[in-house]
Amino acid sequence: MTAPRRRSWPGAREEERMSELVKCTALRRDFGPVKALDGVDLTLDAGRIVGLLGPNGSGKTTLIKILNGLLQPSSGEALVNGCRPGPATKSLISYLPDRGYFPDWMRVSDMIDMFADFYIDFDRRKAEDMCRSLELEPGQRIKSLSKGTKEKMQLMLVMSRQARLYLLDEPIAGVDPAARDFILHTILTNYNEDGTVLISTHLISDVEQVLDEAVFLQKGRVVLHESVDSIRERTGESVDALFREMFRAQAWKEGENHAW
Amino acid sequence: MDFAIQSSRPIWQQLTEQLRRRIVTGVYPAGSRFPTVRELAAEAGVNPNTMQRAMGQLESDGLVITNRTLGRTVTDREDVLEEMRRRLATERTEEYFKDMETLGYDRAAAAELARSEGGRTDE
């Protein structure tokens, strides 16, 4: 496992460049007999776009929920900016859940008002700009939005904050390929440059151009954490190809033990 | 001209090559303002850190000059531009020879073929 090369933003202050924004140590989380996270050690620096990549059930959503305080670890530790997830870290984290949670009767503009009330770092002008480019009509009721448009609205709200850590759980899963490019473009042009973006997805080929680093999660463990360029240099393959290779090999191995 | 990114090679190298080509072909004219990392990253749809790395290479090539007051500009030194143009042309020529070798033409035969085909004006 190669440590990712540190690269920095021009203009980022030195102490921010080198800071460990996220640090997980021997992090475990069980759901009954299921080990969703089975000893995760992971450090993420500030100012990076990181892909959290793994097949279904590998622990991506569990890890994200622990980082934003929605789940407690069974053992081990998760720190965000040196603190355990809690009230102090809520203001640093902008979270895009893997499903919608908004009441149907509200309008897009109600959501913008609510976010502006809740979060001191919410930038209303940015929200309005993004509504225009994503073709969201502020007067529309959430009920009347398509699945993909709802996802765009959620993303608009989440990216309008000047957060230190963006946790995006499957931001592109429900939209068509053209909208994916648009959403990735929105993420790239709106994230806070000193902030870190953690994007969980299994649609790797769609995101790999925007990533600095890739974290491969498998059965609750980090099996690879490397910069995307270093993966390409080392293997001569895309991250997507490497992912398919690693996880296909695993499926075959399992196949030898189970008769199917 | 859009950025084309292939899957198997480091992205920053591909960006560097395509930006070099844009500079020597005058897409960004000599002495003009060069786009910012963020502008280029948004255009290519890549991570700004990746584009920054390509920019660093262009700076060490001498193709892009960082000026404290003016920001980044394309070099106005014709010798630097000509050297890069020559280098890109040489690389393409080498690729040609390699490709011809797989077809069974040695360098002399390949050069002769280029000369005779290059002299033809009709299609």
Side-chain angles (χ1 to χ4, degrees):
Chain A
M1 220 175 290
T2 318
R5 238 178 68 100
R6 281 178 198 273
R7 272 170 284 148
S8 55
W9 273 98
R13 269 174 283 143
E14 191 62 32
E15 62 270 23
E16 278 173 348
R17 284 182 198 173
M18 308 307 278
S19 71
E20 294 174 345
L21 189 58
V22 171
K23 191 169 176 62
C24 298
T25 316
L27 189 65
R28 286 171 205 280
R29 169 71 205 208
D30 306 327
F31 293 101
V34 178
K35 293 180 172 123
L37 294 181
D38 190 16
V40 167
D41 294 301
L42 179 65
T43 302
L44 302 179
D45 292 337
R48 328 271 304 163
I49 302 182
V50 183
L52 183 59
L53 314 174
N56 298 324
S58 55
K60 303 188 293 288
T61 296
T62 304
L63 179 59
I64 284 182
K65 284 187 171 171
I66 287 176
L67 289 177
N68 66 28
L70 288 175
L71 282 175
Q72 295 302 313
S74 302
S75 68
E77 190 176 51
L79 297 176
V80 175
N81 204 30
C83 302
R84 292 205 171 178
T89 61
K90 292 268 185 202
S91 63
L92 305 175
I93 297 174
S94 193
Y95 169 49
L96 181 81
D98 59 349
R99 61 195 58 169
Y101 56 94
F102 303 126
D104 268 0
W105 54 267
M106 287 180 103
R107 295 176 194 277
V108 174
S109 57
D110 296 332
M111 296 307 307
I112 293 177
D113 290 342
M114 195 164 92
F115 264 66
D117 282 347
F118 262 101
Y119 299 110
I120 196 164
D121 60 359
F122 189 81
D123 184 340
R124 184 182 283 274
R125 227 196 54 196
K126 217 171 198 181
E128 285 161 0
D129 284 351
M130 254 186 271
C131 279
R132 264 192 295 280
S133 57
L134 292 169
E135 294 179 337
L136 285 166
E137 200 51 60
Q140 261 185 305
R141 287 195 194 276
I142 293 174
K143 185 164 41 185
S144 70
L145 304 178
S146 73
K147 187 169 186 280
T149 310
K150 268 183 210 165
E151 292 197 6
K152 283 185 192 170
M153 181 196 67
Q154 267 186 282
L155 186 82
M156 174 275 292
L157 293 167
V158 165
M159 296 313 295
S160 294
R161 291 184 54 198
Q162 288 291 304
R164 292 288 305 280
L165 177 61
Y166 299 87
L167 298 174
L168 311 180
D169 199 354
E170 298 282 1
I172 55 170
V175 298
D176 64 74
R180 269 174 214 169
D181 286 348
F182 210 81
I183 282 180
L184 290 172
H185 185 83
T186 304
I187 294 171
L188 271 180
T189 47
N190 288 287
Y191 80 104
N192 172 10
E193 293 180 15
D194 299 326
T196 284
V197 185
L198 186 64
I199 304 175
S200 93
T201 189
H202 52 259
L203 299 168
I204 299 169
S205 61
D206 287 318
V207 299
E208 77 172 89
Q209 286 188 23
V210 312
L211 302 178
D212 280 304
E213 299 168 19
V215 174
F216 280 19
L217 213 54
Q218 182 177 37
K219 293 179 177 172
R221 290 167 180 271
V222 174
V223 291
L224 183 87
H225 181 192
E226 191 171 347
S227 92
V228 167
D229 273 332
S230 144
I231 288 175
R232 286 163 170 255
E233 227 149 345
R234 180 171 63 81
T235 65
E237 290 182 326
S238 65
V239 178
D240 187 49
L242 178 66
F243 182 90
R244 284 165 197 261
E245 200 172 277
M246 283 177 72
F247 290 97
R248 184 173 49 224
Q250 189 59 34
W252 277 111
K253 247 182 267 163
E254 277 170 27
E256 286 167 10
N257 300 325
H258 310 286
W260 49 259
Chain B
M1 183 169 57
D2 286 339
F3 287 100
I5 295 165
Q6 294 151 3
S7 60
S8 55
R9 294 168 51 232
I11 295 166
W12 73 272
Q13 287 177 2
Q14 301 182 47
L15 296 171
T16 305
E17 289 162 9
Q18 290 169 44
L19 287 169
R20 280 175 180 156
R21 187 169 272 263
R22 285 185 180 192
I23 290 171
V24 301
T25 57
V27 174
Y28 309 117
S32 68
R33 190 191 76 90
F34 198 68
T36 64
V37 168
R38 268 187 102 73
E39 286 165 357
L40 288 170
E43 185 195 334
V46 300
N47 185 305
N49 287 323
T50 309
M51 189 56 85
Q52 177 61 47
R53 200 164 165 195
M55 189 74 92
Q57 188 59 52
L58 296 178
E59 283 174 340
S60 71
D61 289 342
L63 291 174
V64 169
I65 311 291
T66 302
N67 183 303
R68 219 176 300 158
T69 48
L70 299 171
R72 288 197 180 85
T73 55
V74 180
T75 184
D76 54 8
R77 282 182 50 185
E78 192 49 49
D79 59 327
V80 173
L81 292 169
E82 183 50 39
E83 194 188 314
M84 181 56 71
R85 195 175 291 125
R86 180 75 192 208
R87 183 171 146 192
L88 296 181
T90 306
E91 281 168 10
R92 292 290 289 139
T93 311
E94 279 306 318
E95 281 167 29
Y96 165 75
F97 280 127
K98 274 205 195 96
D99 194 25
M100 294 308 282
E101 206 182 319
T102 65
L103 291 173
Y105 290 82
D106 65 14
R107 288 183 83 91
E112 181 49 42
L113 188 67
R115 206 171 292 122
S116 63
E117 286 294 313
R120 272 170 50 168
T121 49
D122 58 330
E123 264 303 295

